[in-house]
Amino acid sequence: LAMGGVVLYIGEYGGCGSTDDHNTRLGLLGTSMRLVNVNDNINATLQLTNSAAASFPATWTHSAVGEIELNSGTAIYGYQNIVTVAYEKVGNGVIVVVPDSNGSSKTPQSYYNGLRELIIRG
């Protein structure tokens, strides 16, 4: 992160993972973002409005997703006031948080250009 990398943190919830443990790890990584509630089957839309936004697809699908408490992070995708993908600058890099591994999280290569742009323009 200090050199300008990206950590793509994909969490889980409930029976698939401990939210408390994920939040502990997120804190150890240096971000104040935290995982919270779980929602089902949503098609989140791009919320990011900075110049990096042009490098992201318009949507991120989630067959099950937790909500992100931003604190000092910035929403990338969301659905009806629910933040579903977010990032926070740490050093010269960024931490991107996705609360669940379903849906578009299984094809992160579709988002690589956007993730790189967060370092440069985020």
Side-chain angles (χ1 to χ4, degrees):
L1 288 174
M3 305 273 300
V6 174
V7 172
L8 178 61
Y9 189 96
I10 301 175
E12 284 290 348
Y13 64 91
C16 297
S18 165
T19 300
D20 289 340
D21 290 347
H22 283 300
N23 287 335
T24 297
R25 286 189 286 276
L26 288 168
L28 292 170
L29 284 170
T31 180
S32 63
M33 294 182 290
R34 297 295 182 264
L35 303 182
V36 290
N37 303 322
V38 174
N39 300 282
D40 293 323
N41 298 318
I42 61 174
N43 194 28
T45 57
L46 189 64
Q47 304 293 303
L48 197 62
T49 57
N50 64 20
S51 57
S55 298
F56 282 97
T59 60
W60 187 302
T61 60
H62 305 277
S63 54
V65 67
E67 181 178 349
I68 299 170
E69 180 183 292
L70 283 181
N71 299 312
S72 61
T74 301
I76 301 175
Y77 290 91
Y79 174 81
Q80 296 182 351
N81 298 326
I82 297 169
V83 176
T84 63
V85 180
Y87 80 99
E88 184 172 356
K89 293 283 274 181
V90 176
N92 293 316
V94 294
I95 296 174
V96 177
V97 177
V98 182
D100 195 79
S101 63
N102 294 314
S104 294
S105 302
K106 293 183 177 181
T107 56
Q109 63 271 21
S110 302
Y111 302 87
Y112 284 170
N113 289 339
L115 298 175
R116 281 192 291 269
E117 285 296 312
L118 290 176
I119 295 169
I120 300 165
R121 304 180 205 299

